[in-house]
Amino acid sequence: MIIKSLSIRNFRNIASADFIFDPKVNIFTGNNAQGKTNLCEAISVCFGKSFRNPRTGELLPFGSSDKEIAVEMCFTFDNLPDKENTIIYIQKNSSFDLKFNGIGMKDAEELYGALRYVLFIPEDLYIVKGDPEKRRNYIDFVSNMINRVHNIKLYEYNKALRQKNNILINMSGYDRNAALMLESWNETLAKLGVNVMCGRIRYFDMLAAGAKSYYSMLNSNNEILDVKYESSVMKDISFTAEDHIKMYETYIERLRESAERELRMKYTVVGAHRDDVSFYINNMPAKDFGSQGQIRSIAVALKLAEAEMITEKSADVPIVILDDVLSELDEYRRGFIINHIDKFQIFITSCNLSDTEKFDSGKIWNVKGGKFELRQ
Ligand code: ATP
Ligand code: MG
């Protein structure tokens, strides 16, 4: 898709702004706290949901809660480039209304997913350097984006896991009935856990290969990125998403092996909920040895790989929003991002005007106090 234009009224610190976008690259520069992320967020509400998860009324301008927020986005789908579509988001007090080509969306989630955008925000660095949970959440998010049943599988798995853990918590000493129940929960967990793992790894290779390729472009092939799914169940055994039986049998075996530890720890110590993803740069773990620029480059490469995956799996090319992506990157990497990502329409924010010195083509706005001025 291509966003042609956007109009914003009374959205956080943006009183009024109108944009006609470039089909390729759009850059917004300005000092801290001027409205760059607010603009990205205004785009995201047109996709059905703010990525900041604001509390009720938080989007209304400070001190004028009686005003009406209006964001209007005109865009085209790739298969019908001449037909303009409109999404209008209107919020008055705490209630909001979202219309797609004049038709009200009962559930904003309907829109979220039908229209796709890929977002990088600085918090995404934690996908690389944060806890394993962040990486699992990201892989689950990507898996669910491609296959909407993934979250249902995950929900069922987590429910079963909670029930088994409750038995472990309430057990004191040997209890024959509880032991039999644990055995039965292990079978359920192995079955559901294999489902979750298969859902994750089915598209993982595609994401990993895309990230590897973007990473090498970002640093002109000097460094090699490897991305690996680390299964707490399969450990060093190689497996694919088709190896259900092998995975199930190994899963059960691992759960039995860890029975004693589970009783001591009072939770399930192996399974899909303990899996992780590792990033290696030239064979060294990036989490431990990666520089700030390298970690940021991995996060950006992942997001661009995500956009490639959506392009491949859906009929439409997603737009890409990169908020505050350029800081900590050297001139080569910045140049690649602003001049060489040509498969998607991109929106980039930056605090640093000099980031855009080598900008070849596209549009640049400067923002001050919520007012946007077109520079190029
Ligand atoms: P940075 O470079 O630091 O990320 P930014 O340009 O992205 O800065 P924004 O996050 O867009 O900054 O925020 C701009 C300003 O908007 C901030 O000063 C923030 O306090 C203000 N702001 C946030 N919510 C509201 C609101 N509801 N009404 C008015 N102003 C708001
Ligand atoms: Mg910001």
Side-chain angles (χ1 to χ4, degrees):
M1 66 181 286
I2 300 286
I3 306 182
K4 299 271 177 182
S5 63
L6 185 79
S7 297
I8 305 175
R9 300 288 178 271
N10 304 320
F11 187 93
R12 293 197 188 260
N13 78 329
I14 307 173
S16 173
D18 295 282
F19 305 89
I20 310 266
F21 291 129
D22 184 80
K24 291 283 179 202
V25 190
N26 299 278
I27 301 188
F28 308 91
T29 64
N31 290 341
N32 293 130
Q34 300 306 312
K36 301 181 296 297
T37 304
N38 291 349
L39 164 68
C40 299
E41 187 185 20
I43 297 177
S44 78
V45 298
C46 292
F47 282 78
K49 195 173 163 200
S50 159
F51 60 79
R52 276 169 160 166
N53 291 322
R55 285 186 293 272
T56 314
E58 213 173 288
L59 300 179
L60 287 158
F62 294 151
S64 40
S65 53
D66 56 329
K67 284 200 172 146
E68 183 180 88
I69 299 175
V71 186
E72 180 169 343
M73 178 173 99
C74 288
F75 68 99
T76 55
F77 286 114
D78 301 328
N79 56 356
L80 279 174
D82 298 326
K83 184 185 178 303
E84 283 210 357
N85 303 282
T86 316
I87 289 182
I88 302 180
Y89 174 94
I90 303 277
Q91 185 185 327
K92 184 99 186 146
N93 303 318
S94 59
S95 67
F96 76 91
D97 194 17
L98 194 66
K99 284 201 169 102
F100 173 48
N101 288 343
I103 301 165
M105 296 275 116
K106 286 189 298 303
D107 180 1
E109 292 281 329
E110 263 179 51
L111 208 55
Y112 185 70
L115 298 178
R116 307 287 181 88
Y117 74 101
V118 171
L119 171 76
F120 168 91
I121 48 174
E123 287 87 325
D124 288 328
L125 300 178
Y126 288 96
I127 297 172
V128 185
K129 65 179 184 184
D131 296 336
E133 191 184 3
K134 290 261 185 275
R135 286 181 282 285
R136 278 194 298 274
N137 288 347
Y138 178 64
I139 296 302
D140 285 328
F141 165 79
V142 174
S143 306
N144 191 59
M145 195 174 59
I146 303 291
N147 186 352
R148 296 265 150 188
V149 296
H150 185 75
N151 275 358
I152 300 168
K153 293 178 185 171
L154 198 63
Y155 172 81
E156 285 172 352
Y157 176 79
N158 286 331
K159 201 166 103 189
L161 183 67
R162 271 197 307 278
Q163 277 166 303
K164 180 184 158 188
N165 284 345
N166 276 340
I167 298 175
L168 288 169
I169 289 166
N170 294 320
M171 237 172 129
S172 57
Y174 182 75
D175 174 338
R176 189 168 181 276
N177 278 343
L180 285 174
M181 277 194 322
L182 285 179
E183 186 64 28
S184 146
W185 277 117
N186 279 352
E187 282 165 23
T188 308
L189 274 181
K191 196 172 108 230
L192 299 174
V194 167
N195 273 345
V196 169
M197 283 162 62
C198 288
R200 287 178 184 156
I201 60 170
R202 182 149 289 132
Y203 304 107
F204 183 80
D205 286 350
M206 199 173 163
L207 183 74
K212 188 181 167 87
S213 153
Y214 270 111
Y215 190 86
S216 70
M217 287 187 251
L218 266 165
N219 71 82
S220 78
N221 294 310
N222 291 327
E223 297 165 3
I224 294 168
L225 173 72
D226 282 306
V227 189
K228 289 195 184 119
Y229 186 86
E230 311 273 9
S231 162
S232 66
V233 171
M234 301 304 279
K235 289 196 175 131
D236 298 326
I237 307 169
S238 65
F239 66 103
T240 71
E242 271 63 54
D243 296 332
H244 295 195
I245 297 173
K246 180 162 118 184
M247 282 164 88
Y248 177 81
E249 285 169 355
T250 317
Y251 212 121
I252 292 274
E253 207 179 298
R254 294 267 190 262
L255 285 170
R256 284 190 187 135
E257 279 168 13
S258 54
E260 230 172 82
R261 249 179 86 213
E262 283 182 348
L263 284 176
R264 249 184 301 119
M265 315 276 285
K266 297 204 169 291
Y267 68 86
T268 310
V269 293
V270 289
H273 63 292
R274 306 279 287 178
D275 290 357
D276 198 355
V277 173
S278 296
F279 302 96
Y280 300 88
I281 298 173
N282 294 345
N283 295 322
M284 298 297 280
K287 192 171 185 284
D288 306 318
F289 297 102
S291 72
Q292 305 205 55
Q294 286 174 320
I295 285 173
R296 187 170 282 256
S297 303
I298 295 175
V300 176
L302 269 180
K303 295 293 170 155
L304 295 172
E306 186 188 320
E308 292 263 355
M309 271 177 84
I310 298 175
T311 306
E312 186 128 326
K313 296 284 169 196
S314 68
D316 222 57
V317 179
I319 66 145
V320 175
I321 300 173
L322 304 171
D323 187 25
D324 201 2
V325 73
L326 302 173
S327 45
E328 294 168 344
L329 295 184
D330 58 35
E331 197 181 324
Y332 184 88
R333 292 174 202 233
R334 290 200 306 272
F336 175 81
I337 290 175
I338 62 174
N339 291 322
H340 296 289
I341 303 173
D342 50 10
K343 290 187 181 165
F344 322 102
Q345 185 185 29
I346 55 172
F347 299 82
I348 302 174
T349 74
S350 168
C351 288
N352 207 335
L353 247 176
S354 62
D355 283 347
T356 57
E357 267 165 18
K358 299 226 161 72
F359 182 47
D360 294 340
S361 74
K363 285 186 168 180
I364 306 181
W365 285 262
N366 195 242
V367 52
K368 206 170 172 191
K371 292 194 175 70
F372 289 79
E373 197 182 315
L374 186 65
R375 278 185 29 222
Q376 173 183 323

